[in-house]
Amino acid sequence: PAVRVVDLASGKVTIAVQRPGYYGHGLSEDDVGPVGLALGESHVPGLEVRWTIHANMDPPPGTTEGEYFHFDGTSIPDLVPAGTPNPSLPGMPLPPSILRYARQFRRGVLIWAGQVRFWGEDTILIGPQRGDPCPECTATGLREPPGICVPAPCEGQEYIWEVGDV
C-alpha cells in the first residue's frame, strides 16, 4: 500500500511506501528488523498544458485565457483519427475534433474529470495571433460541456486551465 502526501503550501505531491520488516519470528527478543518509509515524487502521466491564451474568431474579446488549452500533441499521433467528422458552427466549418474522457491534474492533484474536445492540429487560434507564442503547441483542447460558445468565452469557463496542468 502507498500513501499520497500533499504539501498544501508548495503543491508538491510525494508517495510514501511502507518497507517490510521482521515481526514476531521468535528468534530473539529483538525481533523487529528494518522498517521505514521510502519517499519519492509522484508523476502523473499525460499531456502537459503549455499555453492557455486562445485567439477568438468572434471578437470582442480578442482573446480568452484558460478556456481552451494548447499542448504538444506530437506524442499522440492518433489523437484525432483520420476520417473524424468536422463539426461546424453556422456558416463556419471547424477542423476535425473528437471527444475523449480526461482527468485534469494540477500540481499532481486531481481537480476535474469529464469530457474534453480535442483538435489535433496547430491553428491560428493559439493566441494571440501575432508572433508565435507557443511554437511547440500542435493541438488544442476544450471542456465539454459547454463546448464552443459564440461569442466566446462560455460563461464561467475562463481560467479553468493553467499552464502546467496535466
Side-chain angles (χ1 to χ4, degrees):
V3 177
R4 285 189 146 218
V5 179
V6 180
D7 178 4
L8 296 177
S10 69
K12 189 170 186 127
V13 179
T14 56
I15 298 256
V17 181
Q18 178 180 352
R19 294 284 208 205
Y22 305 103
Y23 301 98
H25 52 63
L27 299 176
S28 70
E29 291 181 20
D30 184 17
D31 65 352
V32 177
V35 177
L37 295 177
L39 297 177
E41 290 189 38
S42 70
H43 171 72
V44 177
L47 57 93
E48 181 180 343
V49 173
R50 302 279 180 94
W51 195 252
T52 59
I53 297 176
H54 187 75
N56 294 324
M57 296 167 49
D58 54 338
T63 60
T64 57
E65 186 171 345
E67 179 179 23
Y68 290 78
F69 65 93
H70 308 286
F71 60 97
D72 179 0
T74 57
S75 64
I76 314 167
D78 290 328
L79 176 65
V80 179
T84 300
N86 294 32
S88 65
L89 295 174
M92 184 183 311
L94 298 173
S97 65
I98 192 165
L99 287 174
R100 296 192 182 269
Y101 184 80
R103 292 179 296 232
Q104 180 182 3
F105 289 84
R106 183 165 297 145
R107 291 183 290 281
V109 178
L110 179 67
I111 63 168
W112 179 81
Q115 288 194 335
V116 172
R117 179 168 299 281
F118 287 100
W119 287 271
E121 58 185 61
D122 183 4
T123 71
I124 62 167
L125 300 178
I126 298 173
Q129 289 184 341
R130 56 190 182 280
D132 194 1
C134 185
E136 70 272 16
C137 293
T138 61
T140 298
L142 167 72
R143 280 189 188 177
E144 286 267 349
I148 304 166
C149 295
V150 177
C154 294
E155 185 177 339
Q157 294 301 300
E158 276 198 285
Y159 311 108
I160 58 175
W161 297 98
E162 293 180 7
V163 171
D165 285 359
V166 175

